[in-house]
Amino acid sequence: MEQIKAWVTDHPYVTAGVVALATAQILHTALKRKKLGIISAPPNTVVLYQISRAPFTPSMTPFAVKLETYLRLAKIPYQNDFRHKRSSKGKFPWISYNGEPVADSQLAMEYLNTKLGVDLNKDLKLDEKAKAHAFRVMVDEHMYWCLVYFRWIYDRNQKSMAISFPWWARAIGKFIVAKQLHAQGMGRHTVQEVKQILMQDLEALSDQLGEKPFLMGENPCEVDCSVFGMLAQFVFSNHDNITQGLVQEHFPNLYLYTLRMKGKLWPDWEDCTTKGGKVKATK
Ligand SMILES: N[C@@H](CCC(=O)N[C@@H](CS)C(=O)NCC(=O)O)C(=O)O
C-alpha cells in the first residue's frame, strides 16, 4: 500500500490520466446502456427486448419468437421488455444479460451458449450440425424475405398488422420494407415467383422433417427455434389469400410440427397473444 501511495505521489499526471480514462470508460458504458434503454433485472436473468405481443402469435417478428423459444428450450430465466427499444443495430429483438447488450437473435443465442455452457445441438453429429446450420440460414435469411413480401407488400388488408399498428405506421413501414425488399432482391420478383420460392423452402423443410418429431431428430435443437418462429407466422399470423393455410394444406407434417413445438414450449401461448384483440398484453 505504501509503495502504491509513493508511486502515485511520484507520478501525479499519469495517475490523473488513468483515473480520467477509467471515469470516461465508466460514463461511456453507463450512457450507452441508458441510450439503449437497458433495464436492471435480477442477476443472471436475460432481458428480452422486443415489440409488443401480437394478435395471433406472441410476436409478429419471427426472430422474437425464435429467441424466446430458445430461452424456453434452454431453460434460461428471462423477462420481457415490450417498449419497442431497438438494438444498437437498429433492429428487434435483442437481449441484455447482467447489463451487457447483445444485438441479433442468433448472436444472442451464441453469446448465451458460450456464457452459460448451453448446447442444444449436443446430440447432433458434425454433418447434422452443418445441415442444421444451412436450414437455419435458409429460414432466417431467405424465407424471412418471402414472409415480409407477402405480409407487407402483397397483403393489402394486413389483418394482423392492422390490429397491431396504426395506418400511418403501416404506411411508413411499407415504404421502408419495399426498399429493403428491392435491395435484397426478393422484391423484384412477381408474386407467383415469390410463392414458388417459398414453396421450395417449405418443401425442403418438410422433406427434412419427414416423420421425425423435430427437424433434426427426436429432440428439438437450435434450428427448431428458427423454424418454429417462422412457421408460426405463416400458420397463425398471415391472412393473405396465398399464404394463409398454405402450410396446413400442402405440408401437413410441418403443420403438425408447428403445433408440437407450440404445445411443448408455449403452454401459455394464448396468454402470450392478444387473441385477435388490440395489442396491449405484456405477459
Ligand atoms: N438478423 C436479425 C434480424 C432481425 C430483424 O430483421 N428484425 C426486424 C423485424 S422482423 C426489424 O427489426 N426490422 C426493423 C428495421 O429493419 O428497421 C436477428 O436475427 O435478430
Side-chain angles (χ1 to χ4, degrees):
M1 197 60 192
E2 286 306 312
Q3 274 174 325
I4 296 173
K5 271 189 193 162
W7 192 92
V8 167
T9 315
D10 289 349
H11 303 85
Y13 295 117
V14 178
T15 308
V18 169
V19 170
L21 273 176
T23 311
Q25 180 62 42
I26 290 165
L27 276 175
H28 175 76
T29 308
L31 280 176
K32 203 170 106 189
R33 285 179 184 177
K34 189 161 187 288
K35 195 170 156 219
L36 282 172
I38 291 179
I39 55 166
S40 54
N44 307 329
T45 300
V46 170
V47 182
L48 172 54
Y49 301 84
Q50 52 171 315
I51 54 173
S52 315
R53 289 301 193 205
F56 307 106
T57 41
S59 176
M60 289 290 285
T61 154
F63 302 109
V65 179
K66 165 191 169 184
L67 190 46
E68 198 165 348
T69 302
Y70 162 85
L71 291 167
R72 288 167 173 234
L73 188 57
K75 298 191 170 58
I76 298 172
Y78 73 96
Q79 67 185 53
N80 282 303
D81 180 316
F82 295 108
R83 288 176 303 155
H84 286 226
K85 287 276 174 193
R86 285 174 189 264
S87 72
S88 57
K89 296 173 186 170
K91 297 248 180 191
F92 318 97
W94 57 285
I95 60 155
S96 66
Y97 183 71
N98 293 336
E100 185 74 29
V102 189
D104 188 282
S105 64
Q106 189 61 30
L107 294 183
M109 285 160 62
E110 285 163 20
Y111 169 89
L112 292 171
N113 285 347
T114 308
K115 198 91 184 166
L116 307 176
V118 172
D119 186 2
L120 298 178
N121 293 339
K122 63 181 179 318
D123 295 337
L124 303 189
K125 296 195 203 92
L126 218 54
D127 61 328
E128 290 171 332
K129 281 185 186 168
K131 217 187 223 185
H133 172 79
F135 272 111
R136 200 270 297 165
V137 174
M138 180 186 88
V139 170
D140 283 0
E141 311 290 346
H142 188 251
M143 261 181 109
Y144 170 67
W145 292 107
C146 297
L147 176 77
V148 168
Y149 183 99
F150 280 106
R151 184 177 278 177
W152 282 92
I153 307 299
Y154 176 71
D155 184 5
R156 287 178 200 281
N157 297 322
Q158 298 190 322
K159 183 176 169 189
S160 296
M161 288 199 299
I163 296 169
S164 309
F165 305 106
W167 68 267
W168 54 267
R170 278 181 286 132
I172 297 171
K174 189 167 177 164
F175 177 75
I176 295 168
V177 162
K179 284 205 166 314
Q180 291 177 339
L181 274 163
H182 190 77
Q184 191 273 344
M186 197 65 81
R188 299 169 196 231
H189 298 310
T190 66
V191 65
Q192 282 312 322
E193 285 166 341
V194 181
K195 182 184 175 190
Q196 187 184 327
I197 289 167
L198 173 64
M199 288 298 270
Q200 285 166 351
D201 286 356
L202 287 169
E203 194 170 346
L205 283 175
S206 173
D207 290 346
Q208 167 62 25
L209 179 65
E211 303 280 302
K212 299 190 290 299
F214 300 102
L215 203 71
M216 302 308 297
E218 287 303 308
N219 297 306
C221 62
E222 251 186 47
V223 66
D224 289 289
C225 303
S226 283
V227 176
F228 173 68
M230 186 60 65
L231 289 181
Q233 303 299 325
F234 283 108
V235 169
F236 302 112
S237 256
N238 266 27
H239 304 282
D240 63 277
N241 65 345
I242 291 188
T243 63
Q244 182 172 28
L246 194 75
V247 174
Q248 290 90 317
E249 198 182 319
H250 295 275
F251 306 99
N253 69 337
L254 290 183
Y255 177 56
L256 291 176
Y257 162 89
T258 308
L259 298 184
R260 194 173 303 124
M261 283 290 288
K262 176 172 168 267
K264 187 174 171 70
L265 292 151
W266 290 86
D268 55 343
W269 181 271
E270 292 301 320
D271 295 336
C272 295
T273 67
T274 58
K275 303 181 187 77
K278 276 259 172 263
V279 176
K280 278 214 181 85
T282 49
K283 256 185 96 183

